[in-house]
Amino acid sequence: MNLFDMVLVFLSMLLLVVCVLVGVAFLTLLERKVLGYIQIRKGPNKVGFTGILQPFGDAIKLFSKEQTFPYMSNFNIYYMAPMVNLTISLLLWMCMPFLTVFLNFDLSALFFLSVSSLGVYTLMLAGWSSNSNYALLGSLRAVAQTISYEVSLALILMSFLFLILSLNLLEFKNIQKYIWLIFLLFPLTLMWIVSGLAETNRTPFDFAEGESELVSGFNIEYSSGGFALIFLAEYSSILFMSMISTLMFLGGDINSFMFFLKLTLVSFFWVWVRGTLPRFRYDKLMYLAWKSFLPSSLLYLIFFFCLKMNVFIRLL
């Protein structure tokens, strides 16, 4: 790779990160509007035409507010955790398959699993370094929940990878030329969506931010810029999970306008669930992960492995 190619790759990455951040801004607006209409009210409608500039107003407000620090906090880790959290969630997007000059590599599925598992540490450190009981409890809940559902998420992804026999996410586009995988693997698709909701700490699995008992969870001590970075990281993860879901079982043709329309619909589903479902009980969340999803995803994995082995044996 020569210098010109490296510059192009860097510019592509920068452009993608900027587009993701703008997408996150408008996803927050979509969420507030949809939740408003679900609750029979208007939502933001003052800043700009029908509230279209509200996300930028919120960003300016948050980043211009005074930054407060808990007196007994572990300052360096407390300060760095939100920044690392956002960096990791944006780094996830680097495995998004492009046909242009970009980080489209053969092990992009492994990259996704490796980087997504790093996000757990930032949540844990953010809660621990705040030196607050509420923050620590929230971070412990978030870590237990994320680790539990990462297992089923990885096993479900492996079932899909057995079907395409590649670790390159771009192969999902080629294999879904005639039929989407949602029709072939409907139960796995539903399990993936529920695991994605739990992985991103969203309703009905938002135990890390249980307002009734933990005030605001692991980010209780964060204000202004630190809170904004954690907020951006969470919504960036939601957009990424929507993108990877669309890629895996809704066609995956990333060069068409329909791909981004489907991505928007999946993101809308994330918001719709928040406005509709009540919060789960924590023991039921763990029961669902370890006693339902884990055995089911393992059985599916063994089934697809045997299916592929049978095909190979017949070919030989």
Side-chain angles (χ1 to χ4, degrees):
M1 183 182 283
N2 59 33
L3 183 63
F4 181 68
D5 287 339
M6 289 175 70
V7 170
L8 275 180
V9 167
F10 177 75
L11 287 176
S12 300
M13 290 162 65
L14 193 64
L15 183 65
L16 181 65
V17 165
V18 170
C19 290
V20 167
L21 291 175
V22 173
V24 164
F26 286 107
L27 179 62
T28 60
L29 180 66
L30 173 75
E31 178 173 46
R32 292 174 69 180
K33 281 285 190 183
V34 170
L35 289 179
Y37 285 114
I38 285 173
Q39 295 158 7
I40 320 175
R41 55 186 176 82
K42 285 289 186 187
N45 61 350
K46 296 292 183 191
V47 186
F49 177 69
T50 67
I52 199 90
L53 298 176
Q54 185 69 46
F56 303 105
D58 290 340
I60 292 165
K61 182 202 77 171
L62 278 170
F63 284 108
S64 60
K65 281 172 77 173
E66 181 187 358
Q67 179 78 50
T68 57
F69 301 102
Y71 180 66
M72 296 297 288
S73 65
N74 191 326
F75 179 76
N76 291 330
I77 298 175
Y78 173 86
Y79 195 79
M80 291 298 294
M83 289 190 273
V84 177
N85 193 12
L86 180 61
T87 306
I88 287 171
S89 67
L90 291 176
L91 194 62
L92 268 176
W93 284 90
M94 297 305 115
C95 70
M96 184 175 179
F98 274 138
L99 295 178
T100 56
V101 180
F102 201 59
L103 293 183
N104 174 28
F105 44 92
D106 291 335
L107 303 177
S108 46
L110 275 181
F111 180 84
F112 158 59
L113 288 173
S114 306
V115 176
S116 64
S117 60
L118 287 174
V120 179
Y121 298 105
T122 56
L123 295 185
M124 181 179 68
L125 290 173
W128 172 79
S129 62
S130 301
N131 206 18
S132 159
N133 291 336
Y134 293 124
L136 184 61
L137 282 170
S139 68
L140 287 174
R141 278 186 177 193
V143 167
Q145 177 179 327
T146 308
I147 288 172
S148 300
Y149 279 88
E150 255 175 19
V151 177
S152 60
L153 211 64
L155 289 172
I156 294 165
L157 180 61
M158 282 171 66
S159 295
F160 280 92
L161 295 176
F162 268 134
L163 277 184
I164 66 171
L165 289 179
S166 171
L167 288 171
N168 192 339
L169 294 174
L170 196 58
E171 286 298 319
F172 280 110
K173 175 195 169 187
N174 303 329
I175 205 167
Q176 294 181 89
K177 188 175 180 182
Y178 299 109
I179 185 169
W180 294 354
L181 288 181
I182 189 171
F183 300 118
L184 294 175
L185 306 171
F186 190 67
L188 275 180
T189 301
L190 293 180
M191 285 164 60
W192 173 272
I193 290 287
V194 175
S195 299
L197 283 168
E199 188 75 9
T200 49
N201 286 326
R202 296 289 291 178
T203 307
F205 307 117
D206 56 339
F207 298 100
E209 301 166 11
E211 293 89 358
S212 52
E213 65 271 16
L214 294 180
V215 189
S216 185
F218 66 92
N219 57 4
I220 179 65
E221 300 295 346
Y222 284 95
S223 62
S224 64
F227 173 78
L229 293 177
I230 291 172
F231 190 76
L232 285 170
E234 182 183 334
Y235 280 82
S236 167
S237 300
I238 292 166
L239 266 184
F240 179 79
M241 287 303 293
S242 304
M243 187 276 292
I244 210 89
S245 303
T246 310
L247 190 69
M248 281 170 55
F249 46 76
L250 287 177
D253 186 8
I254 206 156
N255 296 316
S256 71
F257 174 74
M258 282 301 293
F259 177 86
F260 297 97
L261 190 63
K262 286 180 277 191
L263 194 155
T264 309
L265 287 173
V266 177
S267 304
F268 169 78
F269 176 79
W270 247 251
V271 177
W272 185 22
V273 166
R274 180 179 177 183
T276 311
L277 298 179
R279 189 175 290 137
F280 236 43
R281 236 173 52 197
Y282 196 78
D283 60 320
K284 288 194 172 184
L285 170 89
M286 288 302 172
Y287 184 93
L288 183 70
W290 294 108
K291 301 229 176 139
S292 298
F293 281 8
L294 182 62
S296 305
S297 52
L298 269 172
L299 283 171
Y300 268 106
L301 188 64
I302 294 165
F303 169 71
F304 286 119
F305 176 73
C306 296
L307 191 71
K308 283 294 178 181
M309 286 301 293
N310 190 26
V311 171
F312 276 131
I313 291 165
R314 285 176 182 276
L315 287 173
L316 289 172

